[in-house]
Amino acid sequence: KMLISPDGDLTVTNDGATILEQMHVENQIARLLVQLSKSQDDEIGDGTTGVVVLAGALLEQAEALIDRGIHPIRIADGYEMACNIAVEHLKTIADKVEFSEKNIEPLIDCAITSLGSKIVSRCKRQMAEISVNAVLSVADLERKDVNLDLIKIEKKAGGRLEDSQLIKGIILDKEMSH
């Protein structure tokens, strides 16, 4: 998709969050949807279009219920009840991924699955290994907590995707001086 800003800047992207972020939205509900997309992108890094479509569908159904005279608080309570039921059902069908520090293959398999639709899919094994090792480097496994802010992605012009690597430490990008 190609976006052209009012001052002529060109953006080419397939990312829903980027598209929504570039739009100048004045409607309050639409602004909430843009914030929802941004939150999804910040927390998960994917699924931005899906959450906006889902939220839009829920709003559409809520509008029909309001038109029938149902109070908005009752609608919100119903959505919360439905959410609780859905979460409970997900718990019954979820698979637990067992892994250890010595056996991270199940995590790599999960990462490969999630990278299958991304632009990095041709190097998905390598990218999955880098991703899993990066997360495990900063994860507190006892507390089941990961501070993703401790992982930085540094992009360099030139080279190929296959040249990507995980550096555990600090990178100093120093230009040669004459």
Side-chain angles (χ1 to χ4, degrees), residues 19-34:
I19 293 168
L20 289 172
E21 197 174 288
Q22 297 284 329
M23 294 171 57
H24 298 286
V25 179
E26 294 185 18
N27 181 290
Q28 292 298 321
I29 303 296
R31 281 188 186 163
L32 286 173
L33 292 175
V34 171

Side-chain angles (χ1 to χ4, degrees), residues 7-22:
D7 46 332
D9 290 338
L10 179 70
T11 304
V12 178
T13 183
N14 194 29
D15 179 45
T18 303
I19 293 168
L20 289 172
E21 197 174 288
Q22 297 284 329

Side-chain angles (χ1 to χ4, degrees), residues 58 74-90:
L58 291 171
R74 289 195 57 119
I75 297 169
D77 288 344
Y79 280 165
E80 188 170 345
M81 287 173 54
C83 177
N84 291 335
I85 291 168
V87 168
E88 288 305 313
H89 179 66
L90 287 174

Side-chain angles (χ1 to χ4, degrees), residues 30-81:
R31 281 188 186 163
L32 286 173
L33 292 175
V34 171
Q35 288 176 349
L36 175 66
S37 173
K38 184 170 179 3
S39 294
Q40 178 75 9
D41 194 39
D42 291 345
E43 289 296 317
I44 308 298
D46 198 15
T48 54
T49 305
V51 296
V52 171
V53 169
L54 177 61
L58 291 171
L59 287 171
E60 188 177 346
Q61 293 301 312
E63 181 181 33
L65 294 171
I66 288 171
D67 289 345
R68 290 177 47 196
I70 299 174
H71 195 276
I73 291 179
R74 289 195 57 119
I75 297 169
D77 288 344
Y79 280 165
E80 188 170 345
M81 287 173 54

